[in-house]
Amino acid sequence: MFASNDTRETSHAPTSAAPIVERTTSRACLRANRSTGAIGSPLMRLINRKSDDSLAPRRMHVLLLRPVPVNDRFGLGPFFRIEPLGIEYIAAALEQRGHCTTVVDLRYSRSIDWYLRRVRPALVGVACMHALETDEALAVVAHVRRAMPEVFIVVGGHSAAAYPWPFFTRGVDAICVEDGEAVIPALADALQRRERASTVPGLLIRDEDRAGGGPPDAGHDFRSTRASGQTFALDSVPLPLRRDVDRWRRQYACLLFRPVWLIETARGCPFRCSFCSVWPLHDRGIRLRSIDSVCDDFAATGPHVFVADDLFWYQPSRSLELAAELKRRGVRKRWMLVQTRTDLAATHPELLEAWRPIAQDFDIFFGLEAVTNEALNALVKDTTVDRTVDAVAVARQFGYGVTGNFVVDPSWREADFERLWAFVEAHGLHRAGFTILTPLPGTAYFEEMLPRLRAVRWAQFDMHHLVWEPQLGAARFFELYCETWRRSILNLGGHKSWRDWARQVRARDLPLLTRMLIRTQRMMRPDVCLAEHELHAVQTGGGTPFSGSGTSRPSPAR
């Protein structure tokens, strides 16, 4: 979560990894769409084209949108602004199939309307990676639908696939529930051939035949297309298409470091933590990119790299081989951040030893979660506190920066907070963060807690808000929660002053750092947290956005 103590930058980002030919291709795609009459109601023109048309098949222009999440307003959102890697891979897959793409990060881009006018897409994809982004993703869908009533809109991303129920609305034509790199190109191909979306595997589609006059009920107006029947190989799309997002590269940052590049070497997780929605979506499976593919991506990216894998160093032999190949190619980064489990690091110190030379500064984000074995068991972590202590020692032995996260349960008593503070102090874990236990959509825990949920907005699922009333009452809970954060290095009156932070960045980054640190101080004020706290007085069957079940899928298409 937090940068290493020694973070003075000694290298500069390379020139853009996207070759000039890719930029030319993007302009050529735009010209091709215009010259073939794709301006104004493009999907309807394709659908209505007569069978005896002698025109050559037209390439689809696909607009992929990343919405603006509300967590940029509160919590740690501003400190981890990363590129939309998922839709970059989808864009690469689409262009492999001959389609034209525009990837837009709405956090930094021009308005949606500007892109709709400029691109005139036939297919629009809206990403929803986290539950907290649900309302914003729906707002983007509604905006696009008003501006281009006939355009085909598909919603995808982790949260939409794990819990599609909120997207069963009339503005959405389809929801992608399998790997987007496989599904979206197949959808574009089908629409280009004027075929129905129901022929494309891996979708939930709006069923116009069954839709009534009122708002859709959970599953009543959407149905599943057939499953793909095969596992998508990640190397089918070896590299993401970063061409469009490189214009905002300086905006992507992990605390002190910017610009930051995001890399994926594996997808999924075989473990079963109760709060996590990753393993249910992937059926506890994990897929790996090839050594060559990963090394090519490392070579193409800049000096600051965040590896997005939920479980880095999975399969120790492959991890050792990957480290050796990166060294052989002379790939070395200024800074890296990876995420992994404590038991894996404690059991395989040789992995940490092999990887340490890959970056000048190297941080590990551990899923620390709890400070007692009972609490770890309750979270189904399948590990022990002893492994946490061992992993921290191994990481520090090899010169890694140690960070991670602890989960704060709303059912805690004061003694539980005090136990956490003592553990953090005893093991020097002041760079760790603290999030509130939140049942994420797509998990069994969410379904179990559904009757108790009283949140008013999806943005409250950012793990810094309460979604039901805590055991101690909100006022006392936030007093103790804020005191917990005051024991971290983010407290400018504590372990690390503003001057200490300032020494670690270049002068041009001081304004950004200062704004970020000022924002963090709000997290240590109970009055600010209470002002953010808003719950429904009584949970009712239809009174919240969470009354539908998203784990039960609509019936498959026949």
Side-chain angles (χ1 to χ4, degrees):
M1 177 177 293
F2 308 123
S4 297
N5 290 331
D6 182 12
T7 57
R8 292 177 297 277
E9 297 196 48
T10 58
S11 60
H12 300 284
T15 56
S16 170
I20 297 299
V21 67
E22 288 180 341
R23 300 186 187 277
T24 306
T25 300
S26 181
R27 291 192 292 269
C29 284
L30 185 57
R31 288 195 298 269
N33 273 347
R34 286 175 170 167
S35 64
T36 55
I39 304 298
S41 304
L43 178 59
M44 295 307 296
R45 294 193 180 197
L46 286 170
I47 292 175
N48 294 331
R49 201 177 82 193
K50 296 179 180 179
S51 59
D52 61 349
D53 272 353
S54 59
L55 295 175
R58 303 172 185 177
R59 294 182 289 184
M60 298 285 284
H61 200 139
V62 184
L63 180 62
L64 301 172
L65 302 174
R66 196 266 192 239
V68 182
V70 179
N71 72 326
D72 274 7
R73 178 177 56 81
F74 186 76
L76 293 176
F79 316 118
F80 296 93
R81 290 176 169 167
I82 56 177
E83 63 190 289
L85 187 64
I87 57 178
E88 292 170 19
Y89 271 113
I90 293 172
L94 282 161
E95 296 209 355
Q96 280 182 357
R97 298 272 273 270
H99 299 292
C100 307
T101 64
T102 301
V103 173
V104 178
D105 190 335
L106 291 169
R107 293 173 293 180
Y108 316 113
S109 69
R110 296 173 183 254
S111 69
I112 299 176
D113 290 329
W114 188 91
Y115 284 98
L116 293 177
R117 288 192 303 268
R118 175 75 173 169
V119 174
R120 304 306 299 179
L123 171 61
V124 174
V126 179
C128 185
M129 289 304 300
H130 306 283
L132 63 92
E133 301 171 356
T134 300
D135 291 327
E136 286 62 49
L138 287 168
V140 170
V141 167
H143 189 116
V144 173
R145 179 61 70 211
R146 286 192 301 270
M148 298 185 71
E150 292 96 4
V151 75
F152 195 99
I153 300 176
V154 58
V155 176
H158 175 84
S159 186
Y163 189 72
W165 179 82
F167 299 100
F168 293 170
T169 69
R170 297 204 178 280
V172 175
D173 292 301
I175 304 163
C176 177
V177 294
E178 295 188 16
D179 293 285
E181 300 99 318
V183 176
I184 304 304
L187 175 61
D189 289 348
L191 295 177
Q192 182 187 48
R193 295 191 299 263
R194 308 185 306 281
E195 296 174 356
R196 289 182 174 271
S198 57
T199 64
V200 179
L203 290 172
L204 297 174
I205 58 169
R206 188 149 53 92
D207 189 349
E208 296 291 356
D209 295 333
R210 290 190 290 173
D217 296 322
H220 291 178
D221 294 344
F222 277 74
R223 58 192 174 112
S224 301
T225 63
R226 61 187 172 86
S228 62
Q230 58 185 8
T231 301
F232 175 72
L234 298 184
D235 273 2
S236 299
V237 187
L239 292 174
L241 185 61
R242 296 187 170 95
R243 175 193 66 219
D244 293 336
V245 305
D246 276 341
R247 71 193 66 182
W248 306 299
R249 181 61 59 188
R250 284 285 303 167
Q251 303 293 336
Y252 300 127
C254 287
L255 203 59
L256 296 180
F257 297 98
R258 72 171 183 167
V260 167
W261 282 258
L262 195 62
I263 286 178
E264 179 191 63
T265 80
R267 189 176 299 176
C269 182
F271 290 89
R272 56 191 186 114
C273 306
S274 63
F275 53 83
C276 181
S277 59
V278 172
W279 66 265
L281 187 63
H282 297 279
D283 295 324
R284 294 184 70 179
I286 188 166
R287 286 167 289 163
L288 309 173
R289 296 191 181 277
S290 68
I291 299 295
D292 282 344
S293 172
V294 173
C295 288
D296 288 345
D297 207 10
F298 265 88
T301 50
H304 309 130
V305 168
F306 174 22
V307 179
D309 304 8
D310 293 285
L311 183 59
F312 196 62
W313 291 319
Y314 178 74
Q315 284 195 353
S317 59
R318 172 197 180 255
S319 296
L320 291 173
E321 182 183 353
L322 179 54
E325 181 60 17
L326 287 171
K327 292 175 191 174
R328 190 190 70 80
R329 297 191 187 194
V331 174
R332 190 169 191 264
K333 299 299 179 181
R334 169 64 185 82
W335 171 79
M336 277 184 61
L337 172 64
V338 300
Q339 306 172 104
T340 196
R341 288 176 57 95
T342 55
D343 50 358
L344 194 158
T347 304
H348 295 283
E350 72 277 7
L351 295 176
L352 280 69
E353 182 178 17
W355 272 85
R356 187 59 189 85
I358 302 299
Q360 179 179 332
D361 284 317
F362 205 137
D363 286 341
I364 303 176
F365 186 97
F366 285 120
L368 302 168
E369 320 307 2
V371 300
T372 67
N373 288 336
E374 293 76 15
L376 288 172
N377 289 338
L379 296 172
V380 199
K381 282 295 294 183
D382 294 334
T383 187
T384 63
V385 173
D386 287 344
R387 296 277 79 185
T388 297
V389 175
D390 293 343
V392 169
V394 168
R396 287 174 174 163
Q397 173 190 345
F398 291 111
Y400 286 86
V402 175
T403 181
N405 186 74
F406 289 102
V407 173
V408 176
D409 194 325
S411 67
W412 274 9
R413 301 285 188 176
E414 295 195 14
D416 296 301
F417 283 97
E418 293 168 354
R419 191 176 295 112
L420 172 60
W421 299 342
F423 189 88
V424 168
E425 191 63 36
H427 299 285
L429 294 171
H430 304 104
R431 296 178 66 224
F434 310 94
T435 54
I436 298 172
L437 179 60
T438 303
L440 295 179
T443 64
Y445 183 45
F446 178 84
E447 297 296 322
E448 174 190 336
M449 298 300 295
L450 197 56
R452 294 183 61 187
L453 295 183
R454 290 166 51 193
V456 231
R457 296 175 302 277
W458 283 106
Q460 291 171 275
F461 282 77
D462 64 351
M463 294 177 281
H464 292 291
H465 289 76
L466 289 163
V467 293
W468 69 86
E469 199 65 29
Q471 182 74 31
L472 293 169
R476 184 56 178 157
F477 177 88
F478 281 124
E479 286 177 1
L480 297 171
Y481 182 61
C482 291
E483 174 58 31
T484 305
W485 273 107
R486 282 193 288 270
R487 294 165 185 264
S488 78
I489 61 169
L490 288 179
N491 181 7
L492 295 180
H495 292 274
K496 193 170 182 178
S497 70
W498 182 88
R499 291 174 182 265
D500 295 329
W501 285 101
R503 294 190 192 101
Q504 298 177 232
V505 300
R506 293 176 292 188
R508 69 176 183 176
D509 289 331
L510 279 174
L512 175 65
L513 174 66
T514 301
R515 289 195 301 271
M516 287 165 40
L517 290 173
I518 289 173
R519 280 281 303 276
T520 61
Q521 307 314 295
R522 297 177 68 241
M523 296 176 56
M524 302 167 205
R525 292 175 48 192
D527 61 315
V528 174
C529 291
L530 277 172
E532 287 281 325
H533 181 62
E534 182 182 5
L535 298 177
H536 283 287
V538 179
Q539 225 284 16
T540 60
T544 75
F546 321 114
S547 54
S549 174
T551 55
S552 57
R553 301 294 193 197
S555 59
R558 301 298 180 191

